[in-house]
Amino acid sequence: MDSRLFFGIWTSGAAVISFLIAAVSGKYLIPFLHKLNFGQTILDDGPKWHKSKQGTPIMGGFMFIISILLVTIISTLVYFFSGASIVNTFYSDVSRECAFIFAGLGLAVANGLIGFVDDYTKVVKKRNLGLTPKQKLIFQFIAAAFYLFVLKIAGYGSQTIIPFVGEVDLGIFYYIIATVAIVGVVNSVNLTDGVDGLNGSVTLFYCIVFMMISSMLSCFGVSVMCAVSAGACLGFLVWNFHPAKVFMGDTGSLFLGGLVCGIAFAVNMPILIILVGIIYIAEEGSVILQVSYFKLTHGKRIFKMSPLHHHFEMCGWSEVKIVSVFSAVTALFGTLAFALVFFGLK
């Protein structure tokens, strides 16, 4: 059997299994979270109509976290022991690719743990504050720095690939830029979680795009990881799409933040996050612009509310419309990123 056909079937099967695990687990996790009274406390300065979501269970991110970890780890181990004899990958060896996959999962789990502590604090204190921003940042920088340290040990180095430019060695500046970028992206993904189904949908398309890119590069282990992540996000959306029966919480959104970084670094092209993750960046950018402009003008605002999805809510867009448009934008810019890789690495 042709290697690409084999991995195509394998990828599809892994995605379906991941979807089923995430979707079915919701049937048991949501009642359990209700029983523990792990409900969301809605901020007073958010859209007033969000008050109806008060008490919706959080920490639903465990649905896709368990699914992604379980299926990806099993798939990657199978790939490690048999992949080298099946296909020649974009990397010099399969073991190096697998090391990047496990490192990416580690980054996702580390950020997920930070989110769990934050969610647990919110639930216990019955307020929507959790960890302080300073505490979050300290832990996130530690996680990012350790992740890059692991990649260096695995042979990643300070080189990164830029389409139409080639491999660029940034030296010590690579680690500084990468650390700041990872923390920034993780928090951007966290900010995107504010409308039913938004974060899960955007990340679903993000993973699909990188699945196609990694497959084109013959990084089949990463491609399976992306397919599994996409399947898990879709399974979560069964319960999270409007009207949401559960929220992913910071446990889920910070895990996804680490995951999207791990995926981009695994193919050595983190610069593609700028395009494929354009919604994440726009969400965080809207907050930065809003706060900066507010301080400079002593009270004036650019947006009706930030992050960006709240601005469109205040403009009268329904949550479903916001999710649809933001997902379409991700798909569009993802297609552009795919084209850049396709033509830029030839």
Side-chain angles (χ1 to χ4, degrees), residues 107-149:
L107 178 64
V109 170
N111 281 282
L113 285 174
I114 296 171
F116 173 76
V117 173
D118 190 47
D119 282 337
Y120 187 77
T121 303
K122 293 174 186 176
V123 170
V124 170
K125 295 185 177 182
K126 297 297 180 184
R127 58 191 178 92
N128 205 20
L129 295 177
L131 295 175
T132 66
K134 184 177 180 179
Q135 289 172 327
K136 279 186 181 179
L137 283 175
I138 291 174
F139 290 131
Q140 288 169 349
F141 271 106
I142 292 173
F146 186 74
Y147 167 70
L148 293 172
F149 175 72

Side-chain angles (χ1 to χ4, degrees), residues 64-77:
F64 55 75
I65 292 174
I66 293 171
S67 179
I68 291 171
L69 292 178
L70 180 63
V71 182
T72 300
I73 289 173
I74 293 175
S75 296
T76 304
L77 288 175

Side-chain angles (χ1 to χ4, degrees), residues 19 37 57 60 89 127 172 177 214 224 235 263 269 306 322 346:
F19 165 78
N37 292 318
T89 70
R127 58 191 178 92
I172 188 64
I177 296 171
S214 55
V224 173
I263 288 172
M269 282 187 278
S306 65
I322 293 171
K346 284 193 172 182

Side-chain angles (χ1 to χ4, degrees), residues 100-331:
F100 296 158
I101 292 171
F102 282 121
L105 290 179
L107 178 64
V109 170
N111 281 282
L113 285 174
I114 296 171
F116 173 76
V117 173
D118 190 47
D119 282 337
Y120 187 77
T121 303
K122 293 174 186 176
V123 170
V124 170
K125 295 185 177 182
K126 297 297 180 184
R127 58 191 178 92
N128 205 20
L129 295 177
L131 295 175
T132 66
K134 184 177 180 179
Q135 289 172 327
K136 279 186 181 179
L137 283 175
I138 291 174
F139 290 131
Q140 288 169 349
F141 271 106
I142 292 173
F146 186 74
Y147 167 70
L148 293 172
F149 175 72
V150 171
L151 289 189
K152 183 173 177 59
I153 293 176
Y156 202 114
S158 56
Q159 300 83 24
T160 186
I161 297 174
I162 301 176
F164 292 103
V165 176
E167 190 173 82
V168 178
D169 192 339
L170 299 174
I172 188 64
F173 294 104
Y174 171 84
Y175 299 101
I176 298 173
I177 296 171
T179 301
V180 174
I182 289 171
V183 173
V185 171
V186 168
N187 284 297
S188 297
V189 177
N190 185 34
L191 286 171
T192 307
D193 184 36
V195 170
D196 293 355
L198 179 58
N199 208 353
S201 296
V202 170
T203 305
L204 166 65
F205 283 96
Y206 178 98
C207 292
I208 291 174
V209 171
F210 268 100
M211 178 187 71
M212 296 168 61
I213 291 173
S214 55
S215 179
M216 179 175 61
L217 297 174
S218 295
C219 303
F220 294 112
V222 179
S223 182
V224 173
M225 176 187 184
C226 293
V228 168
S229 301
C233 286
L234 187 60
F236 174 70
L237 286 171
V238 170
W239 304 99
N240 182 243
F241 200 77
H242 185 73
K245 298 178 178 62
V246 68
F247 298 141
M248 65 174 67
D250 282 358
T251 303
S253 61
L254 291 181
F255 175 91
L256 289 182
L259 183 72
V260 302
C261 289
I263 288 172
F265 275 83
V267 294
N268 202 10
M269 282 187 278
I271 194 171
L272 293 181
I273 297 176
I274 296 174
L275 287 176
V276 191
I278 186 67
I279 290 299
Y280 305 137
I281 295 172
E283 293 278 26
E284 184 166 36
S286 68
V287 174
I288 294 173
L289 286 173
Q290 185 85 319
V291 173
S292 300
Y293 190 74
F294 185 87
K295 291 181 177 179
L296 288 172
T297 60
H298 304 288
K300 293 183 179 180
R301 292 176 171 84
I302 299 175
F303 306 100
K304 292 184 177 181
M305 187 177 290
S306 65
L308 190 60
H309 54 263
H310 285 326
H311 169 77
F312 287 107
E313 274 193 287
M314 300 299 287
C315 289
W317 286 27
S318 68
E319 295 189 45
V320 173
K321 181 177 180 179
I322 293 171
V323 171
S324 300
V325 172
F326 281 32
S327 297
V329 170
T330 301

